[in-house]
């Protein structure tokens, strides 16, 4: 290969942080700088009765450039990642919403769903930027569903962080590159 030929290495980037920290805005900035066709993968269900949720969705839509493609994918993230092309940059927003959409899966089914997503992220043809919420920095949820959500999302974010090329923590108005600043933990034991 000559020096004038472009390289086609794909990037897997995780952007994580607390609520209202700017995670999505940072992920959008990274996607815009990719030089690729942006495919915004929205994991939320549209509920016409939930006006506050609709306002949040509009806020996200209004920030995005009109030339970005938007896909609403509340469940089948793995299929979208598998179908991506090297010329694409997938921006998946968000892992928390996706996890909540699948919260009723039995533990074994969830484990398979999670492993399938991790496998296709490892072999993705496209750049993939994932937005994931940090949970569990405060009070332990009082309800079983809240604890299940926190545990599943926390584990999923940790697994993706372990395979990501870059991991950002967005908090306090800053995006911190955790791969540059941190030391990786040992792999999570399989249960």
């Amino acid at each position: 290969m000559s020096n004038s030929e472009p390289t086609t290495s794909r990037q897997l980037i995780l952007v994580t942080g607390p609520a209202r920290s700017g995670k999505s805005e940072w992920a959008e900035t990274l996607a815009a700088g990719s030089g690729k066709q942006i495919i915004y993968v929205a994991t939320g269900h549209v509920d016409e009765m939930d006006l506050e949720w609709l306002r949040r969705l509009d806020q996200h839509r209004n920030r995005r450039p009109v030339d970005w493609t938007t896909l609403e994918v509340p469940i089948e993230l793995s299929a979208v990642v598998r179908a991506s092309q090297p010329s694409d940059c997938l921006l998946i927003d968000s892992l928390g919403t996706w996890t909540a959409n699948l919260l009723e899966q039995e533990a074994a089914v969830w484990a398979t769903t999670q492993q399938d997503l991790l496998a296709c992220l490892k072999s993705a043809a496209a750049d993939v930027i994932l937005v994931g919420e940090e949970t569990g920095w405060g009070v332990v949820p009082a309800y079983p569903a809240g604890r299940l959500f926190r545990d599943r999302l926390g584990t999923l974010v940790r697994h993706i962080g372990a395979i990501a090329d870059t991991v950002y923590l967005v908090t306090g108005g800053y995006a911190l590159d955790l791969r540059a600043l941190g030391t990786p933990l040992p792999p999570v034991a399989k249960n």
Side-chain angles (χ1 to χ4, degrees), residues 109-132:
V109 175
W110 169 251
T112 300
T113 300
Q114 179 180 244
Q115 288 307 313
D116 184 45
L117 179 62
L118 292 168
C120 48
L121 288 172
K122 287 178 187 177
S123 63
D127 287 355
V128 182
I129 302 169
L130 299 117
V131 177

Side-chain angles (χ1 to χ4, degrees), residues 11-15 30 128-131 160 164-168:
Q11 290 287 304
L12 178 60
I13 300 171
L14 174 63
V15 178
L30 295 171
V128 182
I129 302 169
L130 299 117
V131 177
I160 293 173
D165 300 303
T166 308
V167 178
Y168 289 102

Side-chain angles (χ1 to χ4, degrees), residues 39-44 69-74 76-77 80-81 89-94:
I39 301 172
Y40 187 96
V41 182
T43 61
T69 301
T70 299
L71 301 176
E72 293 178 0
V73 185
E76 296 298 330
L77 280 185
V80 172
V81 174
C89 176
L90 301 179
L91 194 170
I92 299 172
D93 196 355
S94 76

Side-chain angles (χ1 to χ4, degrees), residues 23-141:
K23 299 178 301 294
S24 295
E25 291 94 333
W26 181 243
E28 291 162 7
T29 299
L30 295 171
S34 73
K36 296 187 175 192
Q37 171 60 42
I38 312 302
I39 301 172
Y40 187 96
V41 182
T43 61
H45 288 286
V46 177
D47 179 356
E48 299 296 335
M49 301 304 290
D50 187 341
L51 298 179
E52 189 269 338
W53 182 247
L54 292 174
R55 280 192 293 277
R56 286 176 183 255
L57 295 177
D58 283 342
Q59 185 179 38
H60 279 251
R61 282 185 196 114
N62 292 335
R63 269 199 322 257
R64 294 195 294 265
V66 295
D67 62 332
W68 288 13
T69 301
T70 299
L71 301 176
E72 293 178 0
V73 185
I75 304 293
E76 296 298 330
L77 280 185
S78 295
V80 172
V81 174
R82 280 190 191 93
S84 66
Q85 302 298 313
S87 58
D88 297 335
C89 176
L90 301 179
L91 194 170
I92 299 172
D93 196 355
S94 76
L95 291 171
T97 304
W98 180 71
T99 300
N101 294 341
L102 298 170
L103 204 55
E104 292 184 11
Q105 287 186 341
E106 295 293 326
V109 175
W110 169 251
T112 300
T113 300
Q114 179 180 244
Q115 288 307 313
D116 184 45
L117 179 62
L118 292 168
C120 48
L121 288 172
K122 287 178 187 177
S123 63
D127 287 355
V128 182
I129 302 169
L130 299 117
V131 177
E133 299 81 357
E134 285 296 330
T135 61
W137 288 20
V139 176
V140 174

Side-chain angles (χ1 to χ4, degrees), residues 178-190:
L178 296 181
R179 285 237 177 236
L181 298 171
T183 301
L185 296 174
V188 179
K190 304 264 190 231

